[in-house]
Amino acid sequence: AVVSTQSAQYGRGGGFLFGYDTGVMSGALVELGDEKKDWDLTDWKKELIVSSAIWACAVGAAISGVLNNFFGRKVTMMAGGSVLTVASFIMAVAPNWGILTLGRALDGIAIGFVSMTGPLYIAEQVPSDWRGPLTVCNQLMITIGILCGSIIAGLFEPVTDGWRWMLGLSCIPSTIMTIMFIIMPKSARWLYFKGQKEEAKRVLIMIRGTSDVTQELDEIALDYERMNENEAIGGRGFQRIVNMMKNKAVRRALILGMNLQLFQQLSGINSVMYYAGTILQMAGAGSNKAIWLASIVSVVNVLFTFIGTIGFYDRLEYSPIPLPGNRSL
């Protein structure tokens, strides 16, 4: 049970890194505009610096599916942490905006790895009755990471070339996460699906703290059989998706889930997170004041995420929880 909890903690490290990358960029953009006049940072260059990580994150998330299948969750998380450490160093020493954009792109790929793999690793390692609460806590860690990024940006704003520290400091949590994953076990479910049944049993015994894991192994075996049956009936890859969409219940759930994410992004929250400092500066606030005022958004974000994930989770059915947020939008 202790190892299960540790697995969840380190798995949520990916959420924190995702959040930090988002939160710190608002302050870094303000600093770059003030200090790097010789870079001639036009609006489109700033937009490219920001969006390069977002586009790369989508690529990293897509690639992570292949990596997770072939190499497992543990290796993918370590790869993401390692790439993020390298990307942090590149951003911290970038001599021009092009190299900074390259560092941001690598950073995005790494964030794609860890943001997709972290919740999966948590869900597969913790007991079923902990799975929901610990998995949704990953979202809380994202908002905490955003807040920490905002605070770091405010603290380093008075420092010359403070943006280098803002972007480079993410190497600390990414390195810690990578090192900690060295001692973390691989996913028992992934091991079983790869035919390593005895190793899967050994991992389950270790992370559960008991030798009585027969029932959980049987559940994994049943899931494995169902997966093979579904692949035999529905095919693989794109054909399997097409066949899934023919099921009315699956189609409705998928469309609903996709639309929730779509409208959340169309609300403009990401633009607010990335450009809040710049917007406030354009409104007349000084650089330091603009960065600290922007952090208020991060505080509110953490507060209401905590209420949604901890306060209401398991007290309400899932469907009522998004309604207040949708109405406020």
Side-chain angles (χ1 to χ4, degrees), residues 22-27 29-30 50 54 146 150 264-281 290-291 293-301 329:
T22 301
V24 81
M25 199 61 211
S26 174
L29 279 177
V30 173
V50 172
I54 300 172
I146 293 173
S150 300
Q264 174 192 338
Q265 299 305 311
L266 290 178
S267 70
I269 184 61
N270 277 11
S271 297
V272 171
M273 288 298 180
Y274 284 121
Y275 296 108
T278 302
I279 294 169
L280 289 166
Q281 191 180 40
I291 292 173
L293 285 174
S295 67
I296 296 175
V297 179
S298 304
V299 173
V300 175
N301 198 15
L329 290 176

Side-chain angles (χ1 to χ4, degrees), residues 10 16 20 31 50 54 58 61 65 93 123 144 153 160 167 171 175 181 183 195 202 228 235 246 256 260 283 306 314:
Y10 299 136
F16 177 86
Y20 181 90
E31 272 283 277
V50 172
I54 300 172
V93 301
I144 291 174
T160 302
L167 299 175
C171 71
T175 301
F181 258 97
I183 62 174
R202 187 191 69 80
N228 289 332
K246 293 178 181 178
L256 176 61
L260 281 172
F306 181 84
D314 280 344

